[in-house]
Structure formats: C-alpha cells, structure tokens
Amino acid sequence: PAVTILIDLPISMDFMSDEFLKSIGGLPGYGEEFMVLLDSLPTSGTERDVALSRLRTEILAGKGPDLFLCAQRLYGVSAGPTDMPFFQLPVQAMLNHLFLPLDDYITQAEYMNMDALQPVVMAAGRNEEGQQIIPLTYTFEATFFDKANYVQKRDIPMTWEEMLEDPDPEIRYSASSGGSRLQDVIGELADYHKDVPAFSEEELRSWAGMWFDAWKTLPEDIKEEKRPLTIPITQLELSNCDIDLNGSQEYTIIPAYNRDGGITANITAFAAINRNARHPDEAFKIIDYLLKPQVQLTSPLFQNRMEGMPVYNNTGDDNTSAASLWKMNGDNYRTLSALREQINIAKFPGPLDVCLWSVEAYNEDVLEASVHEQYVLMQMMLAES
C-alpha cells in the first residue's frame, strides 16, 4: 500500500521530500510493507490557491490524503497576513469530523509515550471524540536577558495585569505592546462550539488599551538603545539573534504571561489522519515513529522544517544528543523547563491571530476603530467556518 501524505511545512521547502524520507528511514516496514507518496503544497501565490481548492474539494468528497503534516505559521515572524495555513481553524476541523480519532491507536503505540509529551499542548488536539490531532512542535514568545546583567526582582509566574503594574520596567516591557503579542496575552480566542469569539468587543478594547499604555510607562532607554530582545523560541529566531542555549551564556527568560497567569503556547506543526484514509494503520505508524524522542531531537524534519520546540518534555536535557540543535547547557535547560511547565493554554495560530495582530492602539480614536474592525472580522470568520 502507498500512504499518501500531504506536507504543508512552508519552512525552506527545498529538499523537503529527501528530509522527510530520511526522518522515517528507520521505521520498520517502510519500503517493504508500505511505501509513501508525498504531496507538498506550494508556499504562496496562485499555485497554492489552486492546490488548496483541489485538496479541500477532494476531502469534502470523502477522498484526499491519508496523512496530514501541517504547519501553523507565526504571524509577524515567518508569515504575513495573507499566508494562510491549509487548516485555518484546526479545532473546527476536528468538530467537523475531518480527522480520525486516534485513542485506540495511541494505546498500542510502539514509540510514542504521551506521558513524555507536553500535556497542555497535546490536549489542544483532543475533543469529545478523543485525540484527533497530534501536535509535533510548539513555541511561545519570551524576552531574553543576559543573566549576568539582569535577574527579575519578582517571583514568576504572575498574571499579565500584575506584569503591567510591576515596578520593574523589564517585566512591564515583557507585557507591553513592545514585548508581547495581544493574541497570546488573551489566550483562548474562540468558543468553537458556538462559533463566536471567547471575549467581548469591550474586553478587547480594554486589553488592547492596557497593552499599549504599558509601553508608554517605560523609560526611554528601554524603548530605544537598551530595548530587550523578544522572540518566539524557534531555532531560526535563536540563530538569527545569536542565542546559543548550549553555549557558556546563561539567560534570564521572561515570557508574556496571559491573563490567567500562565504561558500561551502556539502549536506550529501537527499530524492528523484523514477520517477517509485508505491506509490509517500505516499512517499512524508514521506518526508514532515521528514522536520517538530521538527522531524529534535529531531528524532533519524536526530540526530544519518545523518552527518551534519538539513536544518531547525532556528536549535539551543531558541525554539530548550533541547532534541536536536543541542541546542546552544545564542552567538554560532548567530555565526553559520551568517555563514549559507554566503553559496553561495551547492554540493553533491562524486567521484569528492575524486579526489581533492587526489591532492598532496608538490613540483612542484609532483604538476604537481598529478593535471594532478586527472584532467584526473575527465574528465573520467564525460564523463562516
């Protein structure tokens, strides 16, 4: 049998097929008991639009690929407002019964240990029918400081509102419009069972105003020449900013906590099986193998083609291979592990994030108009989903 796989991982698409096949090369049965046929989507333009329409039509007709490997890109980092993922609202896709429930498969998995995977992130792929989406990578926004020069004066975690009122300007920066994303501060963006936003327009206006007002309280040097470095934790962003978590430098890392006092994780890649799959058993074998810790930590698919950290809880520890880009020194590993345990919300970035990313708040008139425009757009997107 040939397992058909749709790959929509638009991070350096060159050599995608080779690197995927290398990543599953050690899977028993691959090439003997089954083979794979890969379908990679164009990254942008008319060709992508045509491919998206074709595949969505096939899926609605009860056909389509057996296995989906899809990215949910980070807006303002690796994607612009028109770069839409294949599944714009994966939670809705679950509710619309597009994916196969996997609980029975998971109980018989050979390589996957759900207890060793980030629990809140994994729960985002589950609903009343069970686990349907298997998150592969995730990230969150954080501000980095050289630990030799700065250690926060307050114990963390704290709520976003507490950060806004903290006397420490570095903490306020991490919560302001300069150091956080409004969509991550809010956390849960939609009530997908009712197809409405998870908050009112008035709440959004208030939060956006607080978010921007915090920026105005900061000393001028933090806004300019001493502006801290805020990035999502991905290999590309760490590399671009010359941050080596396995080097000699130790970092103070402050996330933008959400309103509930935890961290909002963004799921940046996931796997799911088509409910109409012709070869679901073989498709799950591939997912199972990809969740093997060694594959997560060293395979070219995870290291080069996905944004964010693997979902494996011990990513970066002493047992992480030196060949892994996620190898960390002891202090940075402990810091990042503590933050990973503070994740209390996990979401799939998509068009709702674009709306909140587009909110402008630099004066009252602009704030009022921008919030109304984006909130109405969110309502329309959810109503049409």
Side-chain angles (χ1 to χ4, degrees):
V3 181
T4 55
I5 305 174
L6 171 66
I7 297 182
D8 188 28
L9 301 173
I11 308 299
S12 303
M13 288 297 294
D14 295 340
F15 313 114
M16 171 64 79
S17 296
D18 288 345
E19 296 197 349
F20 173 78
L21 297 177
K22 287 178 183 176
S23 297
I24 65 167
L27 173 59
Y30 165 60
E32 298 175 353
E33 298 174 11
F34 66 92
M35 59 183 290
V36 298
L37 294 177
L38 304 181
D39 187 0
S40 296
L41 287 178
T43 57
S44 60
T46 304
E47 290 183 353
R48 178 175 176 84
D49 294 339
V50 171
L52 289 175
S53 296
R54 171 181 61 82
L55 282 162
R56 286 169 178 159
T57 300
E58 290 178 5
I59 292 168
L60 291 174
K63 301 177 182 178
D66 295 305
L67 175 60
F68 303 103
L69 291 178
C70 295
Q72 301 296 122
R73 299 175 67 184
L74 297 172
Y75 295 95
V77 179
S78 62
T82 61
D83 295 321
M84 286 292 114
F86 182 74
F87 292 105
Q88 295 191 20
L89 299 171
V91 175
Q92 282 287 34
M94 285 196 289
L95 292 173
N96 291 334
H97 311 295
L98 296 184
F99 302 135
L100 186 68
L102 301 176
D103 287 358
D104 290 342
Y105 285 102
I106 290 171
T107 60
Q108 303 177 49
E110 295 184 53
Y111 307 102
M112 177 193 309
N113 177 4
M114 290 292 280
D115 291 337
L117 308 178
Q118 213 294 328
V120 178
V121 172
M122 302 310 293
R126 186 182 307 129
N127 67 8
E128 295 83 357
E129 287 192 277
Q131 191 83 33
Q132 296 182 51
I133 293 175
I134 304 293
L136 301 174
T137 58
Y138 68 97
T139 188
F140 53 86
E141 196 94 0
T143 304
F144 283 73
F145 302 89
D146 183 342
K147 199 169 188 176
N149 298 326
Y150 172 75
V151 177
Q152 74 272 6
K153 301 175 182 65
R154 280 275 307 280
D155 290 336
I156 56 175
M158 58 178 69
T159 67
W160 177 63
E161 284 86 351
E162 289 172 338
M163 295 182 78
L164 296 179
E165 298 172 357
D166 198 276
D168 186 335
E170 280 81 5
I171 289 179
R172 293 205 308 280
Y173 175 89
S174 301
S176 75
S177 58
S180 69
R181 294 174 181 272
L182 189 58
Q183 58 266 36
D184 294 341
V185 165
I186 294 171
E188 297 289 358
L189 303 185
D191 181 339
Y192 290 102
H193 287 89
K194 298 180 180 178
D195 295 333
V196 295
F199 46 86
S200 68
E201 183 175 340
E202 291 72 22
E203 287 175 317
L204 177 57
R205 187 185 306 110
S206 173
W207 297 333
M210 294 163 62
W211 176 66
F212 186 73
D213 287 345
W215 171 259
K216 295 187 288 188
T217 72
L218 298 172
E220 289 303 317
D221 61 343
I222 288 184
K223 296 180 182 179
E224 301 296 339
E225 68 271 13
K226 294 183 180 179
R227 185 165 183 169
L229 174 65
T230 302
I231 58 171
I233 302 174
T234 74
Q235 278 299 329
L236 181 59
E237 290 300 307
L238 292 170
S239 176
N240 286 343
C241 298
D242 295 322
I243 294 177
D244 181 5
L245 295 175
N246 196 34
S248 59
Q249 188 166 350
E250 299 173 352
Y251 294 95
T252 296
I253 306 174
I254 301 180
Y257 289 104
N258 56 43
R259 296 183 57 257
D260 294 326
I263 294 173
T264 301
N266 285 289
I267 297 165
T268 47
F270 70 85
I273 297 176
N274 189 344
R275 196 169 288 227
N276 302 311
R278 292 172 298 168
H279 306 295
D281 295 353
E282 291 80 4
F284 184 79
K285 286 182 180 180
I286 294 172
I287 296 178
D288 186 16
Y289 189 74
L290 289 176
L291 268 293
K292 185 178 181 180
Q294 186 69 7
V295 174
Q296 292 188 62
L297 295 175
T298 62
S299 73
L301 188 67
F302 275 86
Q303 299 220 95
N304 303 330
R305 299 296 176 246
M306 299 182 190
E307 291 182 286
M309 295 175 282
V311 290
Y312 179 52
N313 277 331
N314 295 326
T315 293
D317 69 0
D318 290 340
N319 295 320
T320 299
S321 166
S324 174
L325 296 176
W326 286 106
K327 181 74 173 175
M328 305 178 201
N329 68 42
D331 188 84
N332 289 333
Y333 172 73
R334 286 187 290 273
T335 298
L336 202 55
S337 291
L339 296 179
R340 287 186 292 212
E341 292 176 1
Q342 294 167 17
I343 293 171
N344 65 343
I345 295 173
K347 64 183 180 63
F348 298 91
L352 302 181
D353 293 71
V354 175
C355 293
L356 294 168
W357 178 45
S358 302
V359 169
E360 297 177 326
Y362 51 84
N363 68 45
E364 285 297 325
D365 292 338
V366 169
L367 172 65
E368 185 82 18
S370 178
V371 164
H372 179 70
E373 178 184 1
Q374 298 305 325
Y375 191 82
V376 169
L377 189 55
M378 290 179 68
Q379 288 178 310
M380 291 172 56
M381 287 177 178
L382 289 167
E384 294 170 359
S385 62

